[in-house]
Amino acid sequence: MALLNIFKRDSSKHTVLATGHVISESSRCVQCGVCSYNCPIGIDVRAHVWRDEAVKHSECLTCGECVARCPRGVLRFAQTDLFVRSKG
Amino acid sequence: MRYVIIGAGVAGLSAVEAIRSVDTAGEIVMISDDPFGYYSRPGLAYYLTGELPDKALFPRTKEHYQNLNFNFLKARVTRILRSDHAVLVDGKSKLSYDKLLIAVGARAMPLEVSGASLDGVVKLDHLTDARHIMSLARRGKTAVVVGGGITALELTEGLLARGMKVHYLLRGDRYWSNVLDKHESHVVEDRLKEEGVILHHKAELKEITGKRGRVSQVTLQDGSIIKCEMVAYAVGISPCLELIHESHLAKDRGILVNEQLQTTDPDIYAAGDVAQVYDPLTGKSVLDSLWNPAREQGRVAGWNMAGRRAAYLKSAPFNVTRLAGLTTTIIGVVGRGKDDDLIGIARGDSETWRELPEAIIAQSGFDVNHMRLMVGEKTLVGAIVMGDQTLSWPLQKMIAGRADISSIRDRIMQPDAPLADLIAQFWMTWRTEVAL
């Protein structure tokens, strides 16, 4: 059962990563730049957050570096529904 | 039309964007003597920990600024000449304005103790301070940190990350006692201890002594001595008011402004840490030293300056920070009382966090995933979320939107109530009802 749950969790995580994108909550952001600095392909994530826009960038790998490293929990993954979250 | 903006912080930049969104032709001049212009001041904490190089703190490129089409003047405004509708720049030249914004921010309160002017006594206001701290910090050396609130903790964590041995002095009996409750203070303190920080409670600096002009030790009020090479302090901040001393603009602890961010002179506005903003909901004028309200105030000021009438409505105060590595969201009214470690308001602080409503505290969670709710008669009035942030956004919306929680209030108040589940279930229904 536990194994099945892990599988379910991972499977939903992978779905979000494959079909989702990074969204932000600009009221939490202080433009420190940890996100942009850590983006492996150089997307200016911080500029998207300032404009309160999702990071819908054709080159975004949804690797999760920006989400994981943001010190203020500004970023998260979402599918089309804004509240479907990665449980990872 | 000439708009003059004094200050290059987020309130100033946000005002430039707002003015440009209304008036594409007017001349905008931003004046600041900050050698670096606009950058992320809160980000200095992450520069100190080594998470970022300093160049990453600058969010804007030259192209951004060119698109906004404004002039930046690296100079100091020394006086406001209201009768001339002009500012005096560097004590000599006059620059006239049609609309003026004062967004000069706040600065660290000085450490009032003998020896405070020795080399090695540091604060964290600017990038210059952060670079200075980095140049002084050396692995294996010892630092003493003084003060409460977020900045003192950021200094502690930054110096620790630089390999220094850190003594953290608290005048009170626990960390940030006017915002955090006992349990939360202890969560933070325990984590600091695990990292190797040496905490001293009810400890007050008596004097700092030095050798050849450099810090060599501190003496506490109880007579004990700590040998150290650095003393870092953050005992509160105060709005920079020198500029308006002879201007006869109304002030209290900050420059008093109405909901349009307008001072008592209709052509002069103030926004950000320097402004004490009227809140129509409470009838009070309050200081916030939070980054996002500064951005919002700059925007509202900019619109009004350019002729688009708008009001700044203070929403439930809200801040996210990292306390001893733990992401922490503070929403609405959460604290009470005074804090021995802070003389004034702390950076990243809001006065309204400490207003005392009729509220009962309900609590859930454990050390690293902790949630505290302040429950009013029908609504939630405040919350602290430490660790897992899943519920912090719903809580922020519910508190700001004054969601009527009567249907779950009794269950929330039960001992050992599953708070997170109750809030999550309530949120799912409520957000559909209010179409969020």
Side-chain angles (χ1 to χ4, degrees), chain A residues 25-34 37-38 44 46 50 69 71-73 76 81 83 85, chain B residues 17 40 42-43 46 52-53 56 58-60 291-292 295 318 320 329 389-390 392-393 396 431:
Chain A
E25 192 188 326
S26 67
S27 65
R28 301 173 81 96
C29 175
V30 291
Q31 295 283 294
C32 70
V34 166
Y37 178 64
N38 283 290
D44 191 358
R46 158 169 62 185
W50 175 267
R69 288 178 189 264
R72 294 180 181 233
R76 58 183 193 258
D81 178 346
F83 300 98
R85 296 182 45 144
Chain B
E17 287 194 345
S40 174
Y46 316 126
L52 275 177
F58 294 81
R60 300 304 174 95
W291 205 82
N292 270 287
R295 178 185 177 183
F318 166 74
V320 192
T329 303
Q389 295 295 308
T390 310
S392 69
W393 196 72
Q396 187 197 350
R431 80 179 183 66

Side-chain angles (χ1 to χ4, degrees), chain B residues 77-211:
Chain B
V77 173
T78 39
R79 268 183 82 179
I80 298 168
L81 309 164
R82 282 175 62 193
S83 50
D84 298 348
H85 255 63
V87 292
L88 192 63
V89 180
D90 286 337
K92 43 182 196 260
S93 54
K94 275 189 197 175
L95 177 73
S96 65
Y97 64 80
D98 294 294
K99 301 283 178 191
L100 176 69
L101 175 66
I102 307 170
V104 291
R107 69 165 70 88
M109 284 180 160
L111 191 59
E112 306 279 1
V113 65
S114 143
S117 58
L118 286 165
D119 273 356
V121 180
V122 298
K123 62 182 170 62
L124 185 59
D125 259 350
H126 295 287
L127 181 52
T128 317
D129 298 322
R131 282 184 176 162
H132 181 54
I133 292 172
M134 303 276 265
S135 73
L136 292 178
R138 294 280 181 273
R139 190 159 289 280
K141 300 275 184 179
T142 302
V144 169
V145 176
V146 183
I150 294 169
T151 309
L153 199 56
E154 287 172 345
L155 282 164
T156 301
E157 294 179 296
L159 295 171
L160 206 60
R162 302 276 132 205
M164 291 191 86
K165 183 174 172 186
V166 183
H167 291 263
Y168 185 10
L169 307 188
L170 291 164
R171 282 165 80 178
D173 57 0
R174 60 186 177 84
Y175 173 69
W176 212 9
S177 58
N178 59 354
V179 172
L180 303 183
D181 73 4
K182 249 184 196 169
H183 172 73
E184 291 151 1
S185 294
H186 290 153
V187 168
V188 174
E189 290 184 12
D190 287 348
R191 293 169 70 89
L192 289 175
K193 282 184 218 157
E194 273 169 36
E195 298 280 327
V197 175
I198 304 153
L199 284 156
H200 302 256
H201 294 105
K202 296 188 174 167
E204 202 167 335
L205 264 192
K206 189 174 170 198
E207 62 172 344
I208 307 169
T209 38
K211 280 181 192 154

